[in-house]
């Protein structure tokens, strides 16, 4: 890819089921000529767990197609609002959030790009709404996390106990450098990219900072799909699908 010929960037706020969702809208290469049968691409980018829309900033710097791209902060992440009353974040609810977001943007057809958790969300959404999604790009993810049916009761008990513990958890205060170093321990990442993510992951707290994301995101989804159910979503994707493990 080469750098965009021209680029317009705007930080926006969308309404998603009584929550304010922060996002960044890019208008890229608007001056590129299109064929009579072509139209500007519309692309929704969905980041991974505890990350934010800055995950896609390096990609946007290399994007060379005429496109409108919206990169979101999922609810509870980045600059988006948290759910009320320490509510849990269920995996299936992310698809509803995406539905609300594309409705707020006003799109009826688009391409999905997702990373990690975002890739799982995009894949399940593409399978559920094939009439809306023209293509799906999944980076380091596809099927949702799974559990054996025989482990469902034990898993539910664990998540309830986990949520109770999270309610008692106090906010951690740290410096920007400490935050960057912690982010570097979570997967392979260049320091400049960890700094980019942390620029949208921190809130000022006196002379230090605290994480901006909702601590309830540490709670795993109380009900996970079995392998049979998860596989059905992957098998139901009828659109062009690109998988990347890098």
């Amino acid at each position: 890819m080469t750098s965009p010929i021209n680029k317009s960037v705007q930080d926006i706020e969308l309404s998603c089921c009584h929550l304010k969702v922060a996002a960044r809208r890019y208008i890229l290469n608007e001056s590129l000529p299109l064929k009579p049968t072509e139209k500007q691409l519309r692309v929704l980018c969905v980041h991974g767990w505890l990350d934010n829309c800055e995950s896609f900033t390096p990609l946007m710097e290399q994007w060379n197609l005429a496109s409108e791209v919206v990169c979101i902060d999922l609810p509870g992440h980045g600059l988006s609002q948290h759910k009320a009353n320490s509510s849990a974040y269920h995996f299936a609810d992310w698809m509803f959030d995406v539905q609300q977001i594309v409705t707020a943007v006003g799109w009826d057809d688009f391409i999905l790009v997702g990373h990690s958790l975002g890739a799982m969300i995009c894949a399940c959404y593409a399978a559920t709404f094939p009439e809306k999604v023209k293509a799906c790009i999944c980076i380091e993810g596809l099927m949702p996390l799974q559990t054996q049916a025989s482990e469902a009761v034990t898993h539910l008990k664990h998540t309830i106990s986990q949520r109770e513990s999270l309610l008692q958890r106090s906010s951690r205060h740290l410096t920007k450098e400490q935050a960057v170093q912690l982010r570097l321990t979570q997967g392979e990442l260049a320091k400049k990219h960890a700094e980019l993510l942390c620029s949208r992951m921190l809130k000022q707290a006196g002379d230090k900072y605290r994480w901006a994301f909702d601590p309830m995101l540490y709670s795993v989804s109380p009900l996970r799909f079995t392998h049979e159910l998860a596989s059905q979503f992957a098998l139901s994707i009828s659109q062009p699908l690109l998988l990347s493990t890098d």
Side-chain angles (χ1 to χ4, degrees), residues 40-58:
Q40 188 182 58
L41 295 177
R42 295 183 287 197
V43 184
L44 182 72
C45 295
V46 186
H47 61 79
W49 180 65
L50 298 187
D51 286 342
N52 53 67
C53 72
E54 294 286 8
S55 295
F56 299 100
T57 298

Side-chain angles (χ1 to χ4, degrees), residues 39-40 42-43 106-111 131-134:
K39 64 179 182 179
Q40 188 182 58
R42 295 183 287 197
V43 184
W107 292 350
D108 53 10
D109 64 83
F110 47 90
I111 294 170
E131 71 279 9
K132 293 178 178 290
V133 181
K134 296 173 63 177

Side-chain angles (χ1 to χ4, degrees), residues 33-88:
L34 297 174
K35 296 178 182 178
T37 56
E38 290 182 329
K39 64 179 182 179
Q40 188 182 58
L41 295 177
R42 295 183 287 197
V43 184
L44 182 72
C45 295
V46 186
H47 61 79
W49 180 65
L50 298 187
D51 286 342
N52 53 67
C53 72
E54 294 286 8
S55 295
F56 299 100
T57 298
L59 177 62
M60 293 301 101
E61 291 172 352
Q62 300 296 317
W63 197 273
N64 60 2
L65 301 172
S67 313
E68 177 184 4
V69 183
V70 173
C71 304
I72 62 171
D73 290 345
L74 285 167
H77 295 75
L79 302 182
S80 290
Q81 276 188 299
H82 300 180
K83 290 189 175 182
N85 303 319
S86 299
S87 299

Side-chain angles (χ1 to χ4, degrees), residues 15 54 71 97 99 147 154 169 180 203 205 211 227-228 237:
S15 178
E54 294 286 8
C71 304
D97 294 334
Q99 179 82 329
T147 190
T154 302
R169 186 171 179 167
V180 169
K203 285 186 176 181
W211 296 117
H227 180 72
E228 182 181 12
I237 299 173

Side-chain angles (χ1 to χ4, degrees), residues 49-219:
W49 180 65
L50 298 187
D51 286 342
N52 53 67
C53 72
E54 294 286 8
S55 295
F56 299 100
T57 298
L59 177 62
M60 293 301 101
E61 291 172 352
Q62 300 296 317
W63 197 273
N64 60 2
L65 301 172
S67 313
E68 177 184 4
V69 183
V70 173
C71 304
I72 62 171
D73 290 345
L74 285 167
H77 295 75
L79 302 182
S80 290
Q81 276 188 299
H82 300 180
K83 290 189 175 182
N85 303 319
S86 299
S87 299
Y89 292 81
H90 303 283
F91 178 78
D93 287 342
W94 295 123
M95 271 60 73
F96 180 74
D97 294 334
V98 170
Q99 179 82 329
Q100 293 288 298
I101 288 165
V102 295
T103 298
V105 174
W107 292 350
D108 53 10
D109 64 83
F110 47 90
I111 294 170
L112 284 173
V113 178
H115 171 244
S116 191
L117 169 64
M120 300 176 198
I121 295 168
C122 289
C124 288
Y125 186 92
T128 307
F129 295 99
E131 71 279 9
K132 293 178 178 290
V133 181
K134 296 173 63 177
C136 187
I137 300 173
C138 294
I139 305 165
E140 297 181 330
L142 179 63
M143 293 193 298
L145 298 176
Q146 304 150 42
T147 190
Q148 298 281 347
S150 60
E151 298 172 354
V153 174
T154 302
H155 177 77
L156 179 58
K157 183 177 182 179
H158 166 71
T159 58
I160 291 172
S161 175
Q162 185 184 49
R163 285 179 64 186
E164 288 179 326
S165 297
L166 287 170
L167 289 173
Q168 308 302 320
R169 186 171 179 167
S170 58
S171 298
R172 179 178 181 181
H173 291 71
L174 65 174
T175 65
K176 284 186 179 181
E177 182 59 27
Q178 287 173 328
V180 169
Q181 291 302 319
L182 282 170
R183 185 60 187 83
L184 285 171
T185 65
Q186 301 169 10
E188 297 180 8
L189 197 66
K191 186 175 181 181
K192 64 179 181 179
H193 295 143
E195 291 172 341
L196 193 60
L197 287 170
C198 285
S199 70
R200 207 171 172 95
M201 291 175 71
L202 298 171
K203 285 186 176 181
Q204 190 84 39
D207 60 347
K208 290 192 176 182
Y209 297 84
R210 62 179 179 84
W211 296 117
F213 56 76
D214 191 342
M216 294 307 292
L217 289 166
Y218 282 115
S219 176

